[in-house]
Coordinates of all heavy atoms in Angstrom, one line a residue:
V50 N 99.1 120.3 166.4 CA 99.4 120.2 165.0 C 98.3 120.7 164.1 O 98.4 121.5 163.2 CB 99.9 118.8 164.6 CG1 100.1 118.7 163.1 CG2 101.2 118.5 165.3
K51 N 97.1 120.2 164.5 CA 95.9 120.6 163.7 C 95.8 122.2 163.7 O 95.5 122.8 162.7 CB 94.7 120.0 164.3 CG 93.4 120.3 163.5 CD 92.2 119.8 164.2 CE 91.0 120.3 163.4 NZ 89.8 120.3 164.2
K52 N 95.9 122.7 164.9 CA 95.8 124.2 165.0 C 96.8 124.9 164.1 O 96.4 125.9 163.4 CB 96.1 124.6 166.5 CG 95.0 125.3 167.2 CD 95.5 126.0 168.4 CE 96.0 125.1 169.5 NZ 96.6 125.8 170.7
N53 N 98.0 124.4 164.0 CA 99.0 125.0 163.2 C 98.9 124.7 161.7 O 99.6 125.3 160.9 CB 100.4 124.6 163.7 CG 100.7 125.4 165.0 OD1 101.2 126.6 164.9 ND2 100.5 124.8 166.2
L54 N 98.1 123.7 161.4 CA 97.9 123.4 160.0 C 96.7 123.9 159.4 O 96.3 123.6 158.2 CB 98.0 121.9 159.8 CG 99.3 121.2 160.0 CD1 99.2 119.7 159.7 CD2 100.4 121.8 159.1
C55 N 95.9 124.8 160.1 CA 94.6 125.2 159.6 C 94.9 126.0 158.3 O 95.9 126.7 158.1 CB 93.8 125.9 160.6 SG 94.3 127.6 160.9
D56 N 93.9 125.9 157.4 CA 94.1 126.5 156.0 C 95.3 126.0 155.3 O 95.9 126.8 154.5 CB 94.1 128.0 156.1 CG 92.9 128.6 156.8 OD1 91.8 128.0 156.5 OD2 93.0 129.5 157.6
S57 N 95.7 124.8 155.5 CA 96.9 124.3 154.7 C 96.4 123.2 153.9 O 95.3 122.7 154.0 CB 98.0 123.9 155.7 OG 97.8 122.6 156.1
N58 N 97.4 122.7 153.0 CA 97.1 121.6 152.2 C 97.7 120.3 152.7 O 98.0 119.3 152.0 CB 97.7 121.8 150.7 CG 99.1 122.2 150.8 OD1 99.7 122.5 151.9 ND2 99.8 122.2 149.7
I59 N 97.9 120.3 154.1 CA 98.5 119.1 154.7 C 97.4 118.4 155.6 O 96.8 119.1 156.4 CB 99.7 119.6 155.6 CG1 100.7 120.3 154.8 CG2 100.3 118.3 156.3 CD1 101.7 121.1 155.6
F60 N 97.3 117.1 155.4 CA 96.3 116.4 156.1 C 96.9 115.7 157.3 O 98.1 115.5 157.4 CB 95.7 115.3 155.2 CG 94.9 115.8 154.1 CD1 95.4 115.8 152.8 CD2 93.6 116.4 154.2 CE1 94.7 116.3 151.7 CE2 92.9 116.9 153.2 CZ 93.5 116.9 151.9
L61 N 96.0 115.4 158.3 CA 96.4 114.8 159.5 C 96.1 113.3 159.5 O 95.0 112.9 159.1 CB 95.7 115.6 160.6 CG 96.3 115.7 162.0 CD1 97.7 116.2 162.0 CD2 95.4 116.5 162.9
G62 N 96.9 112.5 160.1 CA 96.6 111.1 160.2 C 97.0 110.6 161.6 O 97.9 111.1 162.3
G63 N 96.3 109.5 162.0 CA 96.6 108.8 163.3 C 97.6 107.7 163.0 O 97.6 107.2 161.9
Q64 N 98.3 107.3 164.0 CA 99.3 106.2 163.8 C 98.7 104.8 164.1 O 99.3 103.8 163.8 CB 100.5 106.4 164.7 CG 101.3 107.6 164.4 CD 102.5 107.8 165.3 OE1 102.9 106.9 166.0 NE2 103.1 109.0 165.3
N65 N 97.5 104.8 164.7 CA 96.8 103.5 165.0 C 95.4 103.9 165.5 O 95.1 105.1 165.7 CB 97.6 102.9 166.2 CG 97.0 101.6 166.7 OD1 96.4 100.8 165.9 ND2 97.1 101.3 168.0
M66 N 94.6 102.9 165.6 CA 93.2 103.2 166.0 C 92.5 101.9 166.5 O 92.7 100.9 165.8 CB 92.4 103.8 164.8 CG 91.0 104.2 165.1 SD 90.1 104.6 163.6 CE 90.0 103.0 162.8
F67 N 91.8 101.9 167.5 CA 91.0 100.7 168.0 C 89.7 100.6 167.2 O 89.3 101.6 166.6 CB 90.8 100.8 169.5 CG 90.3 99.5 170.1 CD1 90.9 98.3 169.8 CD2 89.2 99.5 170.9 CE1 90.5 97.1 170.3 CE2 88.8 98.3 171.5 CZ 89.4 97.1 171.2

Side-chain angles (χ1 to χ4, degrees):
V50 169
K51 185 190 171 197
K52 239 197 295 174
N53 283 278
L54 286 183
C55 76
D56 299 322
S57 82
N58 54 347
I59 303 167
F60 295 104
L61 207 54
Q64 296 180 15
N65 179 33
M66 182 187 72
F67 193 46

